[in-house]
Amino acid sequence: MTLADDLRHASPTVPFSFEVYPPRTAASTTALHATLARLAEAGPRFISVTYGAGGSSGGRSLEVLRHLRAHTGVEPLAHLTCVGNTYAGAAALIREFLDAGIRSFLALRGDPPAGAREGDPFLGDLESAAQLVQLIDRVQAERAAYAEAGIRGLPGAARVVPGQRVEIAVAAFPHGHPRSRHPRQHIDALLAKQAAGATFAITQLFFHADDYLAFVDRCRAAGVRIPILPGIMPVTSPARLARVLQLTGHEVPAELSIALQIEPDPHRQRAIGVEYAARLAAEVVAGGAPGVHLYAFNSHETVLAVLREAGIPTAIRNTQKETTR
Ligand code: FAD
């Protein structure tokens, strides 16, 4: 079953997934490998690995994806950006990931460098994520249009079947995209990505279940049919509050922000963030979300605590359960 099929079909368990970023040092690489092992034990549907805008090779991101393939049974999902790249460069990048065995992508435009404006030539050949979706689809079709499958009852015989299609996720923005010029532009962009071949979407983070649920309703009314997976970030420290603002341009809800800032104990701060994210996860799932995608910040304790507090079962046996510290 593909990732998108899995998200489409109601199941007694709630699919969940995690996002990590490539480590910068040898020490953080070792730590991330330990984290990935713990995350994998929980049985996520996939683990996604972010990719720096403007990159021309898989680099550190691909190293993490390769590690996931080699050392865990979890599907690795590669974020890919196209900003600043040529058409040929982006095609070469996609081939590099396909050659490494990667079959699931999150196709992103990426943010232009500070000060760049739409139309600046150095923004690259591909103007939007929808064009990257099309390119991934075209590059994969070049190489795996057909495959061979056995025929039951005829040992040694084979028939030609369509090759396995790659999974292409895209970004969606419950609060709109900061660069949108009109209120519907981000939904039009999502429709374009769906038309280009996207198989599911993952949202930018948000802090109220209604923001996600109303966004999904607007998308459905506009004709978006692909599953829309809610992206949830546990905000567990004042430093992370600042990061949210930087990522999204949106303020964190006042009650969460104040609670984190008046609480001096980092362990209590973490518990506050976990509780908020767990409530949000439980509410979106109750509202019909096809699963939850959690930003793990390269650490397993917090996201596993969120799943546990949200009542979302994982493959970790009771005796192994994480403690909220
Ligand atoms: P697009 O779908 O191309 O466009 C996004 C919006 O920009 C559209 O809604 C539209 O309103 C507007 N827009 C698009 N084209 C035009 C145009 N020609 N003129 C004017 N407006 C236009 N970034 C990274 O660098 N690395 C990552 O790993 C990464 N991971 C992410 C994961 C998730 C789940 C999300 C939600 C975002 C992630 N981002 C990442 C950030 C993302 O690259 C930025 O938000 C980027 O600005 C938009 O990317 P997109 O794929 O949505 O672009």
Side-chain angles (χ1 to χ4, degrees), residues 50-51 79 108-111 128-129 173 177 180 185-186 193:
T50 62
Y51 183 78
H79 295 211
L108 299 148
R109 182 181 129 136
D111 285 317
S128 68
F173 298 85
H177 189 276
S180 289
Q185 193 180 0
H186 62 291
K193 297 186 223 189

Side-chain angles (χ1 to χ4, degrees), residues 19-20 48-54 61 78-83 106-112 118-119 127-132 170-174 176-182 184-190 193 201-205 229 231 247 293 295:
E19 175 182 305
V20 299
S48 78
V49 183
T50 62
Y51 183 78
S61 195
H79 295 211
L80 263 192
T81 61
C82 56
V83 72
L106 173 57
L108 299 148
R109 182 181 129 136
D111 285 317
E118 295 298 337
E127 287 167 5
S128 68
Q131 292 181 19
L132 182 59
V170 290
F173 298 85
H177 189 276
R179 261 199 324 275
S180 289
R181 293 183 191 135
H182 60 82
R184 257 200 59 126
Q185 193 180 0
H186 62 291
I187 295 186
D188 291 345
L190 188 53
K193 297 186 223 189
I202 305 177
T203 73
Q204 182 60 282
L205 53 104
L229 194 54
L247 266 178
H293 182 67
Y295 297 86

